Amino acid sequence: MIAEDLFEELSTILGPKGLLTDPAEMTPFVTDFRNRRTGSALAVLLPATTAEAAAAVRAVTARKIAIFPQGGNTGLCYGTVPQSGVVIGLRRMRALRETDARSGLISVDAGVTLAELHAEAERLGMQFPLYLGSEGTAQIGGLISTNAGGTGVLRYGSMRDLIAGVEVVLADGQVVNEMSGLRKNNTGYSLTQLVAGAEGTLGIVTAAVVRLAPRMNSRAHAWLGLESVEAALEVGNRVRAAFGSQIEALELLDRAEANYVLRHIPGVRMPLSDVPLYSLMIELASPASHDDLTPQLEAVLAAAMEEGLISDAVIAQSEQQAHDIWHFRHSVTEANKINGIGVVLDTSVRPSAIPAFIEAADRITADRFPEAERAIVAHLADGNVHYIVMFPHEVWASYPDKPAKELEVEHAIHDVAAAHGGSFSAEHGIGRKLTSEMARLIDPVRLDVMQRIKSALDPDGLMNPGALLPEA
Amino acid sequence: MIAEDLFEELSTILGPKGLLTDPAEMTPFVTDFRNRRTGSALAVLLPATTAEAAAAVRAVTARKIAIFPQGGNTGLCYGTVPQSGVVIGLRRMRALRETDARSGLISVDAGVTLAELHAEAERLGMQFPLYLGSEGTAQIGGLISTNAGGTGVLRYGSMRDLIAGVEVVLADGQVVNEMSGLRKNNTGYSLTQLVAGAEGTLGIVTAAVVRLAPRMNSRAHAWLGLESVEAALEVGNRVRAAFGSQIEALELLDRAEANYVLRHIPGVRMPLSDVPLYSLMIELASPASHDDLTPQLEAVLAAAMEEGLISDAVIAQSEQQAHDIWHFRHSVTEANKINGIGVVLDTSVRPSAIPAFIEAADRITADRFPEAERAIVAHLADGNVHYIVMFPHEVWASYPDKPAKELEVEHAIHDVAAAHGGSFSAEHGIGRKLTSEMARLIDPVRLDVMQRIKSALDPDGLMNPGALLPEA
């Protein structure tokens, strides 16, 4: 009864394109993109404007029905899988609202994809410096709500650092507008920073102003072989001291991970003659076309090599070599999928704690999961270590309760991260996957503060319930 | 009665050095540093540790007495002037808790001064890139609570961008610890970002982890003469496109401001032969000692000059010349004080809106305050325009109600900023000076959200009441 009345109201607000109730049409909205988890929903709402979104939210929450906001649905933690209630998808809100090249700002609807934003920034002779695999599908609103990371965080920060403001529809249908796009604005609490990473639990991001960076016109790439994580850290710090904010990427792979790529991805080449214990990929970039970064990088690395910190090194001398280096790095996810079942941890620690963290995690892995192999992909200078416990397919197939096994691995490595002052979710977020870890590992005072903020903005708990925060 | 009992408890918690009740001793704590406004307090509490601070807060708020947190008391908006209740000063909390050079992090008590932090960063071969005049007195906690800005915001961000975490004592005496110092940590709402700029209204910042940047080893400085703000903006954008994150400062002065400096500060020299309509100061810096930025800057500026964007330019060829340029810029505040009574607005707009904003403000000034002169000091690329309405001393002396006059000027220029999508408080904050402007100019929905967050964390309204948020 309630539903019928609601559908009528929603249909008036959203029009025929804005309301899906056919189960078949709803399927992609109630399932995560890797098809691992399915939920259910009364309807999927696809507003085309902020006004429609606000009116729809008001209609739904007035009836105490829950709302599940959804961007490109590329998350890894089931943050957009609904449990009931209605899904609000942002994909029809894809206007480039305003381009302000002289201020280095673009205002966009939340449903604009990262790839579309990259193209628009490019058109203006600049760049939007967030780089991750799902750019063709991931939407700006979702990237903000999950505070997305990627390979450019060292230089440019995460999504929260790249936005100059947001527009948010609150649970009561009110619209908060922080779209002024000002670099400096000390007029009270920043709701923009509060909703960044809030995973839709405080409101729906319907638009944002993003900050552009200058386009890079000269680059240098290197691939180093090292004998230890310690050495990689030391080399990383020397490169930082020498090049500072010119560093685009400092990516670490261990030998196991490099071997997966070589084994499974046709045409990929290891830049060095042997597969080293650790590989460190470096990219420098400068907007100045006159900057000759390659010889400068060569000089810094030569000194480190002389001291024995680096065992082998290749500095790209051509665009092709640079491309090969990135191709190797980007092949990691694909290679892992073919190689086996990798439980990929999204841990972070302070950079100084990385060696001890990996050593301790290795001990736990060898002890408790001897049938698995450890692999590492790390954004080194951010302290974001994707520690991977890799099980052969046939071993994994033999486990009767696979989710339990996954949980066991996660708990074990998360505990190691916690013991080293680290986090169990560096960039992937919490979603519905890690709420129990929030309850287990987060300082109760922090959690209490979060719950109080949540209650203040969403007193009935209707915005993406079940995500991010553990049930009270 | 209540007070007696409270003092006994506080004396036990804080010891004799931690509790001031003698009015003479309390005077500097109840008065702003420019001696413009005085309040009153029952006592001044000076905890030496977080545990003492937490216990003291609990003792005070349990009795529904208000707390007024105070850092270095260098604010311009009366944010630390108490109205009653007790002041909690952080000056005895000045431990450098931990130095983690390999992670580029320092953990400090909130009472450490900016100058002390600069020295420690220097000792590690790095820098803490927040630069402002009051560094010898301003404390880290206060800098966070006011989200301080300064001249380095373009490259490094404001204080909120330079912290990797905080420790906060809440109104109920609970301590929130976000001191992990992780670059990437997506485990829920960021309380660190919420208290940045909250002016002590949500809790007391008692410690922080700050991020260091590499030390700069090569620099270039230029002083340009330009005929218009438009030209300055265009030159600024070209310098950004060419040098990106190597720009340390892009500071704009108008002719009036340059004349004040030349007139009142002995030994200062205008780098150009004439005083131009607008002066643009540029500093570039790189951590690489091999970077020869000066000829690179020369090339970019030569091209702009050929197109007629720049009328005159000096590029520093010696450390002395570079020093002279900064000395000129740093003499602004002193010169203004001698020259007259300047009502200094802390407005910001998008960079693209700066020319129209200044033009409109000039019309208002000429029309409504013809006895004053307009002067401008702007952090150009941040859009932060300190528009100054400068009254001769004798004219100001003739106004019967000076505060009313000041308010009249502020309202007039704030309205112009608002009409251009801007803010009336870019970096100085709100304090007790601008709460009425919050009520007048801030979107009521934003304000409502702030009030709800405030109530969630401080239900009795005991943390710095009267600051930041207008009374409901």
Side-chain angles (χ1 to χ4, degrees), chain A residues 2 42 73 90 141 155 192 216 311 339 368:
Chain A
I2 281 176
L42 298 171
N73 192 17
L90 278 299
R155 180 169 191 165
T192 296
M216 296 295 125
S311 53
N339 192 75
R368 296 190 43 196

PDB file of all heavy atoms in Angstrom, chain A residues 2 42 73 90 141 155 192 216 311 339 368:
ATOM      1  N   ILE A   2       1.680   1.297   1.030  1.00  0.00           N
ATOM      2  CA  ILE A   2       2.625   2.400   1.109  1.00  0.00           C
ATOM      3  C   ILE A   2       3.403   2.501  -0.195  1.00  0.00           C
ATOM      4  O   ILE A   2       3.539   3.557  -0.786  1.00  0.00           O
ATOM      5  CB  ILE A   2       3.605   2.197   2.290  1.00  0.00           C
ATOM      6  CG1 ILE A   2       2.896   2.594   3.591  1.00  0.00           C
ATOM      7  CG2 ILE A   2       4.871   3.035   2.111  1.00  0.00           C
ATOM      8  CD1 ILE A   2       3.719   2.360   4.831  1.00  0.00           C
ATOM      9  N   LEU A  42      13.044  -2.095  -3.581  1.00  0.00           N
ATOM     10  CA  LEU A  42      11.680  -1.856  -4.056  1.00  0.00           C
ATOM     11  C   LEU A  42      11.687  -1.212  -5.428  1.00  0.00           C
ATOM     12  O   LEU A  42      10.816  -1.459  -6.257  1.00  0.00           O
ATOM     13  CB  LEU A  42      10.960  -0.894  -3.096  1.00  0.00           C
ATOM     14  CG  LEU A  42      10.764  -1.329  -1.642  1.00  0.00           C
ATOM     15  CD1 LEU A  42      10.242  -0.163  -0.812  1.00  0.00           C
ATOM     16  CD2 LEU A  42       9.800  -2.512  -1.600  1.00  0.00           C
ATOM     17  N   ASN A  73      29.069   1.951  -9.297  1.00  0.00           N
ATOM     18  CA  ASN A  73      29.009   0.585  -8.759  1.00  0.00           C
ATOM     19  C   ASN A  73      30.300  -0.181  -9.058  1.00  0.00           C
ATOM     20  O   ASN A  73      30.271  -1.331  -9.492  1.00  0.00           O
ATOM     21  CB  ASN A  73      27.782  -0.163  -9.328  1.00  0.00           C
ATOM     22  CG  ASN A  73      27.502  -1.471  -8.591  1.00  0.00           C
ATOM     23  OD1 ASN A  73      27.997  -1.680  -7.476  1.00  0.00           O
ATOM     24  ND2 ASN A  73      26.735  -2.348  -9.211  1.00  0.00           N
ATOM     25  N   LEU A  90      22.942   7.669  -9.806  1.00  0.00           N
ATOM     26  CA  LEU A  90      23.224   9.035 -10.262  1.00  0.00           C
ATOM     27  C   LEU A  90      23.515   9.121 -11.758  1.00  0.00           C
ATOM     28  O   LEU A  90      23.868  10.186 -12.255  1.00  0.00           O
ATOM     29  CB  LEU A  90      24.414   9.604  -9.461  1.00  0.00           C
ATOM     30  CG  LEU A  90      24.162  10.194  -8.067  1.00  0.00           C
ATOM     31  CD1 LEU A  90      23.204  11.377  -8.179  1.00  0.00           C
ATOM     32  CD2 LEU A  90      23.599   9.202  -7.074  1.00  0.00           C
ATOM     33  N   GLY A 141      30.620  11.294  -7.992  1.00  0.00           N
ATOM     34  CA  GLY A 141      29.966  11.219  -6.689  1.00  0.00           C
ATOM     35  C   GLY A 141      30.448  10.029  -5.876  1.00  0.00           C
ATOM     36  O   GLY A 141      30.733  10.148  -4.676  1.00  0.00           O
ATOM     37  N   ARG A 155      51.510  12.649  -4.949  1.00  0.00           N
ATOM     38  CA  ARG A 155      51.675  14.020  -5.458  1.00  0.00           C
ATOM     39  C   ARG A 155      50.437  14.883  -5.279  1.00  0.00           C
ATOM     40  O   ARG A 155      50.544  16.056  -4.920  1.00  0.00           O
ATOM     41  CB  ARG A 155      52.037  13.971  -6.947  1.00  0.00           C
ATOM     42  CG  ARG A 155      52.232  15.354  -7.563  1.00  0.00           C
ATOM     43  CD  ARG A 155      52.855  15.284  -8.946  1.00  0.00           C
ATOM     44  NE  ARG A 155      53.264  16.599  -9.415  1.00  0.00           N
ATOM     45  CZ  ARG A 155      54.077  16.810 -10.443  1.00  0.00           C
ATOM     46  NH1 ARG A 155      54.580  15.783 -11.081  1.00  0.00           N
ATOM     47  NH2 ARG A 155      54.400  18.027 -10.821  1.00  0.00           N
ATOM     48  N   THR A 192      31.909  19.447   2.958  1.00  0.00           N
ATOM     49  CA  THR A 192      32.584  18.768   1.847  1.00  0.00           C
ATOM     50  C   THR A 192      33.556  17.715   2.371  1.00  0.00           C
ATOM     51  O   THR A 192      33.563  16.572   1.908  1.00  0.00           O
ATOM     52  CB  THR A 192      33.330  19.816   0.990  1.00  0.00           C
ATOM     53  OG1 THR A 192      32.365  20.692   0.409  1.00  0.00           O
ATOM     54  CG2 THR A 192      34.152  19.165  -0.105  1.00  0.00           C
ATOM     55  N   MET A 216      51.228  17.756 -17.556  1.00  0.00           N
ATOM     56  CA  MET A 216      52.659  17.451 -17.487  1.00  0.00           C
ATOM     57  C   MET A 216      53.233  17.365 -18.899  1.00  0.00           C
ATOM     58  O   MET A 216      52.636  16.755 -19.779  1.00  0.00           O
ATOM     59  CB  MET A 216      52.876  16.125 -16.758  1.00  0.00           C
ATOM     60  CG  MET A 216      52.428  16.159 -15.298  1.00  0.00           C
ATOM     61  SD  MET A 216      53.398  17.313 -14.279  1.00  0.00           S
ATOM     62  CE  MET A 216      52.095  18.334 -13.586  1.00  0.00           C
ATOM     63  N   SER A 311      70.268  -2.707  -6.791  1.00  0.00           N
ATOM     64  CA  SER A 311      71.072  -3.757  -7.417  1.00  0.00           C
ATOM     65  C   SER A 311      71.041  -3.670  -8.942  1.00  0.00           C
ATOM     66  O   SER A 311      71.972  -4.089  -9.619  1.00  0.00           O
ATOM     67  CB  SER A 311      70.620  -5.138  -6.937  1.00  0.00           C
ATOM     68  OG  SER A 311      69.236  -5.283  -7.124  1.00  0.00           O
ATOM     69  N   ASN A 339      46.188 -16.003 -11.799  1.00  0.00           N
ATOM     70  CA  ASN A 339      47.131 -16.822 -11.046  1.00  0.00           C
ATOM     71  C   ASN A 339      46.499 -17.665  -9.942  1.00  0.00           C
ATOM     72  O   ASN A 339      46.929 -18.772  -9.680  1.00  0.00           O
ATOM     73  CB  ASN A 339      48.202 -15.924 -10.417  1.00  0.00           C
ATOM     74  CG  ASN A 339      49.357 -16.733  -9.871  1.00  0.00           C
ATOM     75  OD1 ASN A 339      50.169 -17.230 -10.645  1.00  0.00           O
ATOM     76  ND2 ASN A 339      49.406 -16.931  -8.569  1.00  0.00           N
ATOM     77  N   ARG A 368      50.320 -19.442   9.386  1.00  0.00           N
ATOM     78  CA  ARG A 368      48.907 -19.804   9.387  1.00  0.00           C
ATOM     79  C   ARG A 368      48.354 -20.174   8.021  1.00  0.00           C
ATOM     80  O   ARG A 368      47.319 -20.837   7.921  1.00  0.00           O
ATOM     81  CB  ARG A 368      48.086 -18.653   9.986  1.00  0.00           C
ATOM     82  CG  ARG A 368      48.465 -18.442  11.460  1.00  0.00           C
ATOM     83  CD  ARG A 368      47.554 -17.499  12.178  1.00  0.00           C
ATOM     84  NE  ARG A 368      46.137 -17.688  11.882  1.00  0.00           N
ATOM     85  CZ  ARG A 368      45.204 -16.780  12.163  1.00  0.00           C
ATOM     86  NH1 ARG A 368      45.562 -15.645  12.723  1.00  0.00           N
ATOM     87  NH2 ARG A 368      43.943 -17.003  11.876  1.00  0.00           N
TER      88      ARG A 368
END
